[in-house]
Amino acid sequence: MVENEGNVRVDSWIWSVRLAKTRSAAAAACKAGHVRVNGERAKPAQAVKPGDEVRVRQEGWERVVVVRRLIRKRVGAEVAADCLVDNSPPRPARELVTAPGLRDRGAGRPTKRDRRDMDGLRGR
């Protein structure tokens, strides 16, 4: 299934090389502006070619890969690794996340002040 001719959609390629779990998730990432090809924001149907730099932002971390080979179908991890050059910076360490505020059972609905406090804990 490895090909070097023709056009491959960026969302399909991202899914094929296992940067996204599903093709619809890859398309949603493109629509949300989390995917850039050669520094430009990419639409899901944009074509990629060997040598293009693809940046995918995932969970606060940016994957930077260079297209080595074009593939259309999802392949095993070993074959997928041959289809790209990974230039990503190291993944950031997980910060210590505080547990969200828990309310006592039967305390009723949270008040507006309680909701503001909870949003503050969640960083909103």
Side-chain angles (χ1 to χ4, degrees), residues 36-70:
R36 293 188 175 274
V37 176
N38 295 328
E40 299 293 324
R41 189 173 170 179
K43 292 183 178 180
Q46 181 175 339
V48 292
K49 60 186 183 301
D52 283 349
E53 181 188 65
V54 178
R55 293 176 175 262
V56 181
R57 196 170 57 232
Q58 301 171 330
E59 301 170 1
W61 181 49
E62 188 171 57
R63 296 283 309 262
V64 181
V65 296
V66 177
V67 179
R68 186 185 289 174
R69 281 194 254 158
L70 299 178

Side-chain angles (χ1 to χ4, degrees), residues 94-105:
R94 290 188 178 198
E95 297 83 23
L96 296 174
V97 180
T98 60
L102 298 176
R103 294 180 48 81
D104 294 330
R105 187 171 177 89

